[in-house]
Amino acid sequence: MHSESAQAPRLEKAVAYVKSQTSVAPEVGLVLGSGLGGYADTLGDRVVLPFAQVPGMPVSRVVGHAGNLVLGTVASGALRVAAMQGRVHLYEGHPVADVVFGVRLMIALGAKTILVTNAAGGISEGMVAGDLMLLEDHLNMTAQSPLTGTNESALGVRFPDMTRAYDPALGALADEVAAAQGFKLLRGVYAGMLGPQYETPAEVRMLRTLGAHAVGMSTVLETIAARHMGARVLGFSCITNVAAGLSKETLNHAEVTDTAERVKGRFMALLEGVLVGIAAGRGVAA
Ligand code: HPA
């Protein structure tokens, strides 16, 4: 059997475990990237399942990144959500099926919408650390896909459309929420790289030429898996730094985590606002 196949039985086991722990069937799944994990602590009726206890769920090998799957509610119980506090990345050496397993699990549990967040370097002119960007589209620069191997028709079709990988109606809702909260949400194309090294200045110039506005090391594979399963995707980048070569500075991880920490209040308010909007029936195509 091909290593990328047989996700359906693996998912069934994980679904059975989660259902044995909580009756919350999520409508929305959240992937909480750098600095945002604390959002899951604000959920109502919370059930916290360490990744290590969920059968099949990969656990990050990065120290201090032990993750949880948190199930709970938003908007005083009006919306049921699942949240991944942390994720595993391709650069850690995990197989691509593991990288997307959490997203597939949240969808298998019932989520019809995936809200994915990340930290990214800003490529567009004028971007500054602390900006928030709505993902309009992506460039998958990892040279991998979660869909290689025998297609599992129980999950989705062989050749899924990626025309509207990021849902326009959810994006419009996010714009309205940001405007109501008094800040400008940028929009752009996210380039997903393998990492873990940051880009060279030449790579950043290449990505700009290719049409990217921000660059990071996650998200694109999760979006592909979510679209394969028919979920709608909303994506946000926290621009934690100006991409390599575009400023006089060199890059370091502390700058990324410091900015994510500084922006997390506004980022969490945006997430909350969007989820409250979804609970109220907004973010659906007219
Ligand atoms: N490049 C890639 N990934 C990132 C960056 C970057 O500049 N900043 C945060 N994640």
Side-chain angles (χ1 to χ4, degrees):
M1 196 178 294
H2 191 282
S3 62
E4 302 297 359
S5 66
Q7 294 304 304
R10 179 180 173 189
L11 282 166
E12 272 169 35
K13 286 198 192 87
V15 165
Y17 171 77
V18 173
K19 286 189 172 168
S20 76
Q21 301 297 309
T22 172
S23 58
V24 174
E27 299 156 272
V28 176
L30 312 175
V31 184
L32 301 173
S34 305
L36 281 183
Y39 183 72
D41 300 330
T42 71
L43 299 178
D45 313 310
R46 219 159 43 251
V47 174
V48 180
L49 306 175
F51 287 161
Q53 286 175 23
V54 181
M57 190 79 180
V59 178
S60 176
R61 293 160 201 175
V62 181
V63 183
H65 276 231
N68 297 305
L69 182 67
V70 183
L71 293 109
T73 61
V74 178
S76 311
L79 188 73
R80 301 182 305 275
V81 304
M84 290 171 62
Q85 247 175 351
R87 56 149 76 88
V88 298
H89 299 85
L90 208 55
Y91 64 70
E92 295 172 63
H94 296 279
V96 62
D98 285 10
V99 172
V100 302
F101 187 76
V103 165
R104 281 179 166 154
L105 173 57
M106 294 192 291
I107 297 169
L109 287 165
K112 301 272 183 283
T113 301
I114 294 294
L115 202 165
V116 59
T117 63
N118 59 57
I123 295 179
S124 289
E125 198 91 41
M127 271 185 180
V128 294
D131 283 342
L132 295 178
M133 187 188 93
L134 173 77
L135 272 65
E136 278 192 315
D137 206 342
H138 77 217
L139 295 168
N140 174 11
M141 305 298 283
T142 67
Q144 294 217 42
S145 167
L147 309 182
T148 55
T150 309
N151 184 56
E152 288 188 73
S153 52
L155 303 188
V157 298
R158 171 76 292 187
F159 300 110
D161 179 47
M162 293 291 288
T163 307
R164 293 189 192 88
Y166 298 89
D167 191 84
L170 288 171
L173 169 61
D175 275 340
E176 289 167 22
V177 169
Q181 292 179 352
F183 72 93
K184 175 95 187 116
L185 183 60
L186 304 179
R187 285 179 164 248
V189 175
Y190 171 93
M193 305 289 278
L194 173 60
Q197 72 287 348
Y198 292 115
E199 300 68 39
T200 64
E203 286 164 346
V204 170
R205 290 193 298 273
M206 171 190 77
L207 293 171
R208 175 180 270 176
T209 301
L210 294 179
H213 303 102
V215 55
M217 304 174 194
S218 66
T219 302
V220 294
L221 302 170
E222 293 158 335
T223 296
I224 292 166
R227 294 302 297 142
H228 180 235
M229 291 179 78
R232 300 196 300 157
V233 179
L234 177 62
F236 296 116
S237 290
C238 172
I239 305 300
T240 52
N241 56 282
V242 171
L246 299 180
S247 79
K248 293 191 180 70
E249 312 297 325
T250 58
L251 303 195
N252 66 77
H253 184 58
E255 178 190 9
V256 169
T257 53
D258 287 354
T259 308
E261 193 61 28
R262 178 163 64 78
V263 177
K264 74 177 183 193
R266 192 155 46 90
F267 206 163
M268 286 191 203
L270 174 64
L271 292 191
E272 175 82 8
V274 166
L275 292 171
V276 167
I278 291 173
R282 297 164 64 198
V284 183

